[in-house]
Amino acid sequence: MAVLIQGASRGLGLQFCKHILASRKELLVLATCRRPSEAEALQALRAEFPRRLALFPLDATREAEARQAAEAVAQEHAGLDLLVNCGALLHPRGGRGETSLRDVAAQDLALTLATNSIGPLVVAKYFTPLLLNGTGAFGRQSTDPGKKHQAILVNMSARVGSIGDNALGGWYSYRMSKAALNMATKNLSIELRRGKAKVICVSLHPGTVDTDLSKPYHKNVPKGKLFSPEHSVNCLMSIINNLDMEQTGKFFAWDGSELPW
């Protein structure tokens, strides 16, 4: 049994690796990032769990690398029980992103969409054959044989990607990229529940987490609402462990509440 964490070099991705290695000792963790040899925290974690953590290079904006990573994993593993797409970009130039229309640049939009929307979908494309061969180690299995699932696919989204929840505007590229990712999740959920082998597909909002990605906004976060990666992943794993086929295609916040598209 194995799980794959895409974008595992830091932040939530790294914490997902730590959590699963510590809590599910029967599982192997396959971690991807652009340059594993330079990911110091990930390398330290592999030194701690040399037999249960494997690293693979994967830049999700490069389709060939996604295909090669999937082929490399398939040579050693028959299936995957969980895939979490964590890799994300707030804005290519750093800072707070676009506060108004005058800040929008086509190049920034393209790179953000490539990283946050297209990349996770391409990763799903190449790893889905392994998900369809999973053992159903995560989530709650239905007593109805027709509603059993083989694996779970999680796309790490954000509340600002909700069109229905958008009351402030701004953040054009990031909002658009997460809204597009949510549409990819919905599409995947429809396609991957049709066959005999089924995969639960959900988007998850982790809350505002104390990571490099969210640093520009920390001073504006209300007291008690800036989460540690440990707290956020604990909450997200609780959701994942309780998913079933009735919830595929939905968008959940860290506290289990369903968010509008």
PDB file of all heavy atoms in Angstrom, residues 96-104 168-172 217:
ATOM      1  N   ARG A  96       1.771  39.916  -2.537  1.00  0.00           N
ATOM      2  CA  ARG A  96       0.363  39.697  -2.283  1.00  0.00           C
ATOM      3  C   ARG A  96      -0.460  39.382  -3.521  1.00  0.00           C
ATOM      4  O   ARG A  96      -1.686  39.282  -3.439  1.00  0.00           O
ATOM      5  CB  ARG A  96      -0.228  40.928  -1.602  1.00  0.00           C
ATOM      6  CG  ARG A  96       0.309  41.143  -0.207  1.00  0.00           C
ATOM      7  CD  ARG A  96      -0.240  42.434   0.376  1.00  0.00           C
ATOM      8  NE  ARG A  96       0.057  42.517   1.799  1.00  0.00           N
ATOM      9  CZ  ARG A  96      -0.741  42.063   2.747  1.00  0.00           C
ATOM     10  NH1 ARG A  96      -1.878  41.470   2.438  1.00  0.00           N
ATOM     11  NH2 ARG A  96      -0.416  42.176   4.020  1.00  0.00           N
ATOM     12  N   GLY A  97       0.155  39.264  -4.660  1.00  0.00           N
ATOM     13  CA  GLY A  97      -0.637  39.024  -5.867  1.00  0.00           C
ATOM     14  C   GLY A  97      -1.330  40.294  -6.330  1.00  0.00           C
ATOM     15  O   GLY A  97      -1.014  41.403  -5.895  1.00  0.00           O
ATOM     16  N   GLU A  98      -2.321  40.147  -7.205  1.00  0.00           N
ATOM     17  CA  GLU A  98      -2.973  41.309  -7.810  1.00  0.00           C
ATOM     18  C   GLU A  98      -4.070  41.858  -6.901  1.00  0.00           C
ATOM     19  O   GLU A  98      -5.011  41.153  -6.555  1.00  0.00           O
ATOM     20  CB  GLU A  98      -3.600  40.930  -9.159  1.00  0.00           C
ATOM     21  CG  GLU A  98      -2.650  40.211 -10.093  1.00  0.00           C
ATOM     22  CD  GLU A  98      -2.769  38.696 -10.012  1.00  0.00           C
ATOM     23  OE1 GLU A  98      -3.335  38.200  -8.998  1.00  0.00           O
ATOM     24  OE2 GLU A  98      -2.315  38.031 -10.943  1.00  0.00           O
ATOM     25  N   THR A  99      -3.941  43.105  -6.521  1.00  0.00           N
ATOM     26  CA  THR A  99      -4.982  43.744  -5.721  1.00  0.00           C
ATOM     27  C   THR A  99      -6.013  44.443  -6.599  1.00  0.00           C
ATOM     28  O   THR A  99      -7.090  44.797  -6.110  1.00  0.00           O
ATOM     29  CB  THR A  99      -4.378  44.762  -4.745  1.00  0.00           C
ATOM     30  OG1 THR A  99      -3.644  45.744  -5.490  1.00  0.00           O
ATOM     31  CG2 THR A  99      -3.447  44.061  -3.757  1.00  0.00           C
ATOM     32  N   SER A 100      -5.678  44.654  -7.867  1.00  0.00           N
ATOM     33  CA  SER A 100      -6.627  45.275  -8.793  1.00  0.00           C
ATOM     34  C   SER A 100      -6.291  44.853 -10.218  1.00  0.00           C
ATOM     35  O   SER A 100      -5.255  44.239 -10.483  1.00  0.00           O
ATOM     36  CB  SER A 100      -6.584  46.803  -8.683  1.00  0.00           C
ATOM     37  OG  SER A 100      -5.367  47.299  -9.225  1.00  0.00           O
ATOM     38  N   LEU A 101      -7.167  45.221 -11.147  1.00  0.00           N
ATOM     39  CA  LEU A 101      -7.012  44.838 -12.544  1.00  0.00           C
ATOM     40  C   LEU A 101      -5.707  45.360 -13.142  1.00  0.00           C
ATOM     41  O   LEU A 101      -5.091  44.711 -13.992  1.00  0.00           O
ATOM     42  CB  LEU A 101      -8.210  45.359 -13.342  1.00  0.00           C
ATOM     43  CG  LEU A 101      -8.338  44.927 -14.802  1.00  0.00           C
ATOM     44  CD1 LEU A 101      -8.407  43.407 -14.917  1.00  0.00           C
ATOM     45  CD2 LEU A 101      -9.566  45.572 -15.439  1.00  0.00           C
ATOM     46  N   ARG A 102      -5.252  46.515 -12.680  1.00  0.00           N
ATOM     47  CA  ARG A 102      -4.026  47.088 -13.259  1.00  0.00           C
ATOM     48  C   ARG A 102      -2.793  46.246 -12.949  1.00  0.00           C
ATOM     49  O   ARG A 102      -1.751  46.399 -13.601  1.00  0.00           O
ATOM     50  CB  ARG A 102      -3.826  48.520 -12.761  1.00  0.00           C
ATOM     51  CG  ARG A 102      -3.569  48.638 -11.270  1.00  0.00           C
ATOM     52  CD  ARG A 102      -3.307  50.087 -10.864  1.00  0.00           C
ATOM     53  NE  ARG A 102      -3.175  50.201  -9.411  1.00  0.00           N
ATOM     54  CZ  ARG A 102      -4.188  50.437  -8.596  1.00  0.00           C
ATOM     55  NH1 ARG A 102      -5.418  50.569  -9.097  1.00  0.00           N
ATOM     56  NH2 ARG A 102      -3.988  50.529  -7.297  1.00  0.00           N
ATOM     57  N   ASP A 103      -2.897  45.349 -11.970  1.00  0.00           N
ATOM     58  CA  ASP A 103      -1.757  44.508 -11.618  1.00  0.00           C
ATOM     59  C   ASP A 103      -1.688  43.219 -12.441  1.00  0.00           C
ATOM     60  O   ASP A 103      -0.708  42.478 -12.350  1.00  0.00           O
ATOM     61  CB  ASP A 103      -1.835  44.111 -10.135  1.00  0.00           C
ATOM     62  CG  ASP A 103      -1.799  45.316  -9.213  1.00  0.00           C
ATOM     63  OD1 ASP A 103      -1.052  46.259  -9.511  1.00  0.00           O
ATOM     64  OD2 ASP A 103      -2.529  45.299  -8.199  1.00  0.00           O
ATOM     65  N   VAL A 104      -2.726  42.939 -13.209  1.00  0.00           N
ATOM     66  CA  VAL A 104      -2.799  41.673 -13.941  1.00  0.00           C
ATOM     67  C   VAL A 104      -1.790  41.648 -15.087  1.00  0.00           C
ATOM     68  O   VAL A 104      -1.663  42.612 -15.841  1.00  0.00           O
ATOM     69  CB  VAL A 104      -4.226  41.445 -14.484  1.00  0.00           C
ATOM     70  CG1 VAL A 104      -4.266  40.253 -15.431  1.00  0.00           C
ATOM     71  CG2 VAL A 104      -5.200  41.248 -13.328  1.00  0.00           C
ATOM     72  N   LEU A 168     -14.746  39.776  -2.005  1.00  0.00           N
ATOM     73  CA  LEU A 168     -13.719  40.812  -1.898  1.00  0.00           C
ATOM     74  C   LEU A 168     -12.998  41.110  -3.204  1.00  0.00           C
ATOM     75  O   LEU A 168     -12.431  42.189  -3.358  1.00  0.00           O
ATOM     76  CB  LEU A 168     -12.675  40.398  -0.845  1.00  0.00           C
ATOM     77  CG  LEU A 168     -13.191  40.259   0.595  1.00  0.00           C
ATOM     78  CD1 LEU A 168     -12.077  39.746   1.498  1.00  0.00           C
ATOM     79  CD2 LEU A 168     -13.717  41.585   1.114  1.00  0.00           C
ATOM     80  N   GLY A 169     -12.990  40.181  -4.142  1.00  0.00           N
ATOM     81  CA  GLY A 169     -12.256  40.390  -5.384  1.00  0.00           C
ATOM     82  C   GLY A 169     -10.755  40.292  -5.179  1.00  0.00           C
ATOM     83  O   GLY A 169     -10.261  39.797  -4.168  1.00  0.00           O
ATOM     84  N   GLY A 170      -9.996  40.799  -6.159  1.00  0.00           N
ATOM     85  CA  GLY A 170      -8.544  40.735  -6.083  1.00  0.00           C
ATOM     86  C   GLY A 170      -8.019  39.329  -6.304  1.00  0.00           C
ATOM     87  O   GLY A 170      -8.763  38.417  -6.638  1.00  0.00           O
ATOM     88  N   TRP A 171      -6.702  39.180  -6.173  1.00  0.00           N
ATOM     89  CA  TRP A 171      -6.037  37.882  -6.303  1.00  0.00           C
ATOM     90  C   TRP A 171      -6.464  37.168  -7.590  1.00  0.00           C
ATOM     91  O   TRP A 171      -6.783  35.989  -7.588  1.00  0.00           O
ATOM     92  CB  TRP A 171      -6.379  36.976  -5.119  1.00  0.00           C
ATOM     93  CG  TRP A 171      -5.933  37.419  -3.778  1.00  0.00           C
ATOM     94  CD1 TRP A 171      -5.452  38.647  -3.408  1.00  0.00           C
ATOM     95  CD2 TRP A 171      -5.920  36.623  -2.597  1.00  0.00           C
ATOM     96  NE1 TRP A 171      -5.165  38.652  -2.079  1.00  0.00           N
ATOM     97  CE2 TRP A 171      -5.432  37.443  -1.546  1.00  0.00           C
ATOM     98  CE3 TRP A 171      -6.281  35.316  -2.325  1.00  0.00           C
ATOM     99  CZ2 TRP A 171      -5.285  36.969  -0.245  1.00  0.00           C
ATOM    100  CZ3 TRP A 171      -6.145  34.842  -1.031  1.00  0.00           C
ATOM    101  CH2 TRP A 171      -5.645  35.665  -0.002  1.00  0.00           C
ATOM    102  N   TYR A 172      -6.465  37.880  -8.685  1.00  0.00           N
ATOM    103  CA  TYR A 172      -6.999  37.319  -9.925  1.00  0.00           C
ATOM    104  C   TYR A 172      -6.403  35.967 -10.283  1.00  0.00           C
ATOM    105  O   TYR A 172      -7.130  34.996 -10.524  1.00  0.00           O
ATOM    106  CB  TYR A 172      -6.786  38.300 -11.087  1.00  0.00           C
ATOM    107  CG  TYR A 172      -7.797  39.408 -11.144  1.00  0.00           C
ATOM    108  CD1 TYR A 172      -7.577  40.608 -10.469  1.00  0.00           C
ATOM    109  CD2 TYR A 172      -8.976  39.273 -11.875  1.00  0.00           C
ATOM    110  CE1 TYR A 172      -8.501  41.633 -10.510  1.00  0.00           C
ATOM    111  CE2 TYR A 172      -9.911  40.304 -11.927  1.00  0.00           C
ATOM    112  CZ  TYR A 172      -9.671  41.478 -11.241  1.00  0.00           C
ATOM    113  OH  TYR A 172     -10.593  42.490 -11.286  1.00  0.00           O
ATOM    114  N   TYR A 217       0.224  37.373   4.231  1.00  0.00           N
ATOM    115  CA  TYR A 217      -1.083  37.674   4.812  1.00  0.00           C
ATOM    116  C   TYR A 217      -1.172  37.415   6.316  1.00  0.00           C
ATOM    117  O   TYR A 217      -2.231  37.601   6.905  1.00  0.00           O
ATOM    118  CB  TYR A 217      -2.160  36.852   4.086  1.00  0.00           C
ATOM    119  CG  TYR A 217      -2.179  37.118   2.612  1.00  0.00           C
ATOM    120  CD1 TYR A 217      -1.470  36.307   1.738  1.00  0.00           C
ATOM    121  CD2 TYR A 217      -2.869  38.203   2.103  1.00  0.00           C
ATOM    122  CE1 TYR A 217      -1.456  36.581   0.383  1.00  0.00           C
ATOM    123  CE2 TYR A 217      -2.863  38.480   0.745  1.00  0.00           C
ATOM    124  CZ  TYR A 217      -2.155  37.667  -0.114  1.00  0.00           C
ATOM    125  OH  TYR A 217      -2.142  37.942  -1.453  1.00  0.00           O
TER     126      TYR A 217
END
